[in-house]
Amino acid sequence: MTEINRHIGPVVLAPIDPERMKAMAVVLDDPNTIHLDPAVVQALGFGNRTINQGPANCGYVIDVLLDHVPGAFLERFAARFLGNVFSGDVLTVEGKVTEVDGVSVGCTVWLENQDRARVLQADAVLRRPV
Amino acid sequence: MTVEGFEHLPGHPLRPGAITIPAAERELLAEVLRGPVVAGDGLHPLHAYIVAQRGIGESIEDLCTLADFPIEDGPMMGSLQIELHGSMHADTEYRIEGEVVDMLRKHGSLRGPFDLLTYRERVLDPAGVMVAELTNTFVLFRKDTSD
């Protein structure tokens, strides 16, 4: 599972749920209304669906990584947000192992929406259990 | 180069704070992510971001105020970086400190000028040991600028 160029995923996620977005707003203590009110999103010119929190998108990817390397400790996770994720979007997590150095496993992972647009790109380093 | 008029921002300290994540929030995050609950009293790696963001003494609106950006204009995350140096646990008080790294002006072909506000946060355990470091960037699309 951790040899170089080993593929990660693809893992298709359930559609983004606006109710879970509201719950995430509580978890993050983030009142940004782009996650709560479609009218605000529309007024900003981003369409008429609420926008998923970036950290939530990271969470999906982290869970896939930890499932790929069971028992591993995530040492580093660096993500760039390339596009918005909207309520109802269907996301796919995919990636590959890029480096193995003893117990350290480097990966690059990404998140794409149903239109195959990449919305998140991340590099991660996991420490495998000994 | 730092955005003109905001040369005071690089190094500007963020108000420190502290936070404890109760055990029940572990299940709440797992439910939101539709993922597994971490074993024992461990916190999900994403909790490093949550602890830092909620624990620091500055809200997202406060950060926007530093950048003279109205929160209603919708700040968006540009990047998020978590470095974990140790495991984190529920029911443990963590202290958070940090500072603004910089704010840079960029120009987008579609949406015009925007600023990248980068800040760093350090999460310290009860012994004062740093268990996590976060470096995050907000994208601030500017509505009223001649730049």
Side-chain angles (χ1 to χ4, degrees):
Chain A
M1 298 290 277
T2 54
E3 57 269 29
I4 291 177
N5 290 324
R6 180 80 179 200
H7 213 72
I8 299 169
V11 177
V12 181
L13 306 178
I16 299 300
D17 176 9
E19 293 306 309
R20 281 185 166 82
M21 231 182 270
K22 292 175 185 174
M24 191 61 171
V26 174
V27 171
L28 294 172
D29 192 21
D30 177 8
N32 194 337
T33 46
I34 63 172
H35 309 305
L36 305 172
D37 187 347
V40 171
V41 179
Q42 187 141 39
L44 291 172
F46 288 110
N48 61 3
R49 292 180 288 156
T50 48
I51 296 173
N52 203 33
Q53 294 94 343
N57 300 329
C58 292
Y60 312 141
V61 176
I62 289 171
D63 278 346
V64 169
L65 282 171
L66 294 177
D67 187 60
H68 186 79
V69 191
F73 178 81
L74 181 68
E75 291 187 327
R76 185 172 185 275
F77 182 83
R80 289 186 298 122
F81 300 106
L82 306 176
N84 289 318
V85 172
F86 297 94
S87 60
D89 279 355
V90 177
L91 304 177
T92 300
V93 183
E94 203 164 352
K96 64 178 179 178
V97 176
T98 56
E99 186 175 353
V100 178
D101 182 7
V103 296
S104 185
V105 179
C107 304
T108 188
V109 282
W110 54 90
L111 203 56
E112 290 184 351
N113 67 16
Q114 63 278 359
D115 299 322
R116 301 304 302 270
R118 192 164 293 192
V119 292
L120 181 152
Q121 175 89 29
D123 293 309
V125 177
L126 299 105
R127 188 173 71 234
R128 289 184 295 183
V130 179
Chain B
M1 189 179 295
T2 304
V3 177
E4 188 176 339
F6 293 92
E7 292 85 359
H8 60 282
L9 278 186
H12 179 90
L14 303 178
R15 277 189 298 269
I19 188 171
T20 300
I21 299 294
E25 283 202 30
R26 302 180 333 112
E27 284 81 13
L28 179 57
L29 180 62
E31 164 65 19
V32 169
L33 298 179
R34 297 193 218 238
V37 181
V38 177
D41 67 346
L43 293 179
H44 189 283
L46 189 63
H47 265 120
Y49 172 85
I50 295 166
V51 161
Q53 200 59 44
R54 283 172 49 186
I56 196 84
E58 310 265 5
S59 64
I60 292 174
E61 186 166 7
D62 291 332
L63 288 171
C64 290
T65 299
L66 286 175
D68 194 20
F69 183 82
I71 186 77
E72 57 267 20
D73 284 357
M76 295 197 175
M77 288 206 73
S79 66
L80 179 160
Q81 179 175 294
I82 302 171
E83 294 184 55
L84 283 165
H85 304 288
S87 56
M88 296 178 65
H89 304 273
D91 300 322
T92 299
E93 183 178 85
Y94 291 99
R95 289 187 299 111
I96 302 90
E97 61 185 34
E99 63 276 336
V100 175
V101 175
D102 209 342
M103 189 164 74
L104 304 175
R105 173 63 49 89
K106 302 290 184 181
H107 294 269
S109 56
L110 289 176
R111 298 186 63 88
F114 60 94
D115 292 339
L116 295 177
L117 176 65
T118 303
Y119 61 102
R120 182 171 296 125
E121 295 162 324
R122 289 173 292 280
V123 180
L124 309 175
D125 72 6
V129 176
M130 184 173 69
V131 293
E133 186 169 33
L134 290 298
T135 306
N136 305 320
T137 301
F138 272 109
V139 180
L140 311 177
F141 290 100
R142 299 289 186 178
K143 285 184 177 179
D144 297 316
T145 176
S146 60
D147 186 12

